[in-house]
Amino acid sequence: MDERSRPEAVTTPREPRRLWLAYPALLAVVPILNRQVQNHWPTARDAVAFGLVLGAAVSVCQLACYGALRAGLRASGRAPAAAAPWAAVLAAGVVALFYCWPSASDAAHASFTEHPGATAAGSVLLLALFAAAGWWLTWRGGGARVTRALPGVSRFLVTVALLLAGWSAVRMMIAPIQLAWIVRRSSHLRELAQPVPVHRPISGPARDVYVLLLDSYPSADVMREVFGIDNMPFLDSLRALGFRVPAEVRSNYPLTVFAVPSLLNFAQVEPLTRELPGGYKDFGLAEYLMEHNRAAAFLKARGYRTVFFPSVWFPPTQHNRQADVEAPRLSGGGPTVAIARAIWRSLLVQSFADGTLIRRATRRYLPTAQEVTMADIDQTFAGVAALATRPAGGPPVYAFAHLLIPHPSFMADSACRPWPRTAQLVSDIATDSAAVRTAFAAYVSCANRRVLATVRAILARPGPRPIVVLQGDHGTTRRGLIYAAVDSTTPAQIRERFHPFGAYYLPALPSGGAATMPDTVSLVNVLRTVFRTYHGADLPPVSDAMYLVDVTKSFRMTPIDPSTLRPQLRRR
């Protein structure tokens, strides 16, 4: 046999060290850690868990490739040392597919819309290329030069991946340290931590206090002016139950991460932002303000039992270690349901769902986002209503629930049935279309249905009448987002975003007088009014100042000229 016709021999003296072959798992984890660092949400636990799961899955895939390649090389009479570096290459290809295939598939589909089978043909071609690569390696030797170069490539890639992952991990570890430093040094936080003085204690029954936060629920005027929706029947139903609906409710901030702390701490957040170090943009501060809020501390000091209902996916309100009771989340349903909940209850994992192969799994094999979200929302409403049926006696209850309804995406129809798997969810509320208005109107009707049923259950409890606060944190963004390029924000955008829904059940006082809420009130003064009226707290009204927030510039806040709200949105 001619020497030149013999296959080229593979001259890999020994298998590379296993550490150098870990780069596929590290490359899979790097985007997750980087996203965690960039999004500034307190979701580090989710990032670690998701990274470990994905890294383990890639490692299992790599081991499977290694076993198959090693067996193939031995069967062909070749040295099996090439199996390990080539298994790492194949595993890295799987990582690339996980992150890039949906986008590439969409681009191919858009480019070949006249050829419906183009995407499927591309998938078949890709599999054929993988099969050809395996055949070339096992039966044709894989190319001696390429195989010899793989250990060096592996060392380079693992070094780069370790540097990237290490840098992101260090920044993740710095975030809680920096937050602790801010908490210790902030004079504003020390002031908020002081006990609320009570100068004229009011005798009377201890009343349960319910605060139901309805995310992105706008005022009736915004609904009518912006969406053409008449929400007056719902408000009339609340009034018939004894709720007070002020003529104008204002948010002090356009973002939940600042609006909710201003409500629960009945204080402006803007002084705190002036104490932050330059470039600070971590939302862990919002989590701290919500978890250590003054409302819960004030009521606990008066013998209240605090009950916290976690939100579906908003990180700052998913847990509260300061609460006496954190309501259990919906569980059970099998492994596919558990996986779907792990995806849709995590804002971080959600951010990867649409651009990776997770999208394929969630669209075909797992419960949908709308099914998981509506099940959790219904569980929260049911849990709040169940508090009213607890046995008589015992301490009064302070219950807080952050309900992500009617927050977009719009998950259900007017009867609170989750939209089917085939439905196109409406998430871009700024799109000017009939579909947006229809979906929003249906989701608002669902929210109204659940709210009315819940407050009727609360008010049906015998004994002292409770205090019920139904509060939107801010309005909508139908006219565009207003928390990036604040300098170009229009008065119409401000009026829409800063006019949330608000309704308050305030029982008669022991003296026989009626409790009132101002006809114009901002979130920062809502609980001030409640605690001043029913507990004699020394909480005079504070400024209703409102601020635009630029999240791209270290939470820079710009005061809003009150004239911006004129002409004010008025009810018919």
Side-chain angles (χ1 to χ4, degrees), residues 331-399:
S331 59
T336 58
V337 177
I339 294 172
R341 287 179 181 142
I343 294 172
W344 301 121
R345 286 176 176 173
S346 170
L347 186 62
L348 177 75
V349 182
Q350 280 186 43
S351 68
F352 284 97
D354 194 54
T356 66
L357 285 180
I358 294 176
R359 182 177 69 180
R360 295 288 191 264
T362 55
R363 285 184 177 180
R364 298 182 181 180
Y365 310 112
L366 299 177
T368 61
Q370 50 267 39
E371 291 169 342
V372 171
T373 301
M374 288 311 301
D376 281 354
I377 288 175
D378 286 344
Q379 167 86 352
T380 300
F381 276 119
V384 173
L387 284 178
T389 63
R390 71 187 190 278
V397 164
Y398 164 60

Side-chain angles (χ1 to χ4, degrees), residues 256-257 260-261 264 286-293 314 316-317 320:
T256 303
V257 291
V260 178
L264 297 182
E287 182 181 43
Y288 179 87
L289 288 168
M290 295 183 202
E291 190 169 53
H292 300 83
N293 69 84
F314 186 69
T317 54
N320 192 311

Side-chain angles (χ1 to χ4, degrees), residues 35 106 151 490 542:
R35 181 73 57 86
D106 289 345
T490 67
V542 295

Side-chain angles (χ1 to χ4, degrees), residues 170-231:
V170 168
R171 293 179 66 185
M172 286 172 57
M173 290 187 288
I174 288 175
I177 297 173
Q178 190 176 28
L179 176 60
W181 180 83
I182 291 171
V183 170
R184 284 197 302 269
R185 292 179 58 89
S186 171
S187 60
H188 188 66
L189 289 178
R190 286 196 297 271
E191 181 182 343
L192 294 180
Q194 297 301 312
V196 176
V198 176
H199 286 287
R200 50 179 188 85
I202 296 176
S203 60
R207 306 177 184 277
D208 291 343
V209 178
Y210 295 84
V211 177
L212 304 185
L213 186 75
L214 304 171
D215 203 295
S216 303
Y217 199 125
S219 69
D221 297 301
V222 169
M223 286 196 188
R224 184 184 63 254
E225 177 182 303
V226 179
F227 297 95
I229 299 172
D230 182 9
N231 206 34

Side-chain angles (χ1 to χ4, degrees), residues 249-273:
V249 180
R250 299 178 180 178
S251 294
N252 302 96
Y253 304 92
L255 295 171
T256 303
V257 291
F258 297 112
V260 178
S262 71
L263 170 70
L264 297 182
N265 291 285
F266 29 94
Q268 292 284 2
V269 181
E270 186 272 339
L272 174 60
T273 62

Side-chain angles (χ1 to χ4, degrees), residues 443-505:
Y443 209 29
V444 168
S445 296
C446 168
N448 294 348
R449 180 190 296 265
R450 291 292 187 260
V451 167
L452 286 174
T454 302
V455 297
R456 285 179 178 133
I458 292 172
L459 298 179
R461 179 178 174 82
R465 298 287 79 200
I467 299 165
V468 183
V469 175
L470 303 177
Q471 186 64 66
D473 54 346
H474 50 67
T476 52
T477 54
R478 173 68 180 77
R479 291 166 170 150
L481 300 177
I482 62 171
Y483 38 82
V486 298
D487 295 335
S488 60
T489 301
T490 67
Q493 290 174 325
I494 292 173
R495 288 196 296 271
E496 178 189 353
R497 187 68 172 182
F498 281 81
H499 281 97
F501 159 77
Y504 315 97
Y505 186 86

Side-chain angles (χ1 to χ4, degrees), residues 103-156:
S103 300
S105 176
D106 289 345
H109 182 73
S111 301
F112 300 100
T113 52
E114 297 180 359
H115 304 280
T119 302
S123 302
V124 172
L125 178 61
L126 187 64
L127 291 175
L129 288 174
F130 270 95
W135 174 83
W136 177 62
L137 171 63
T138 55
W139 297 103
R140 300 297 298 172
R145 294 180 180 178
V146 175
T147 304
R148 286 196 299 269
L150 285 181
V153 173
S154 299
R155 287 192 290 271
F156 171 76

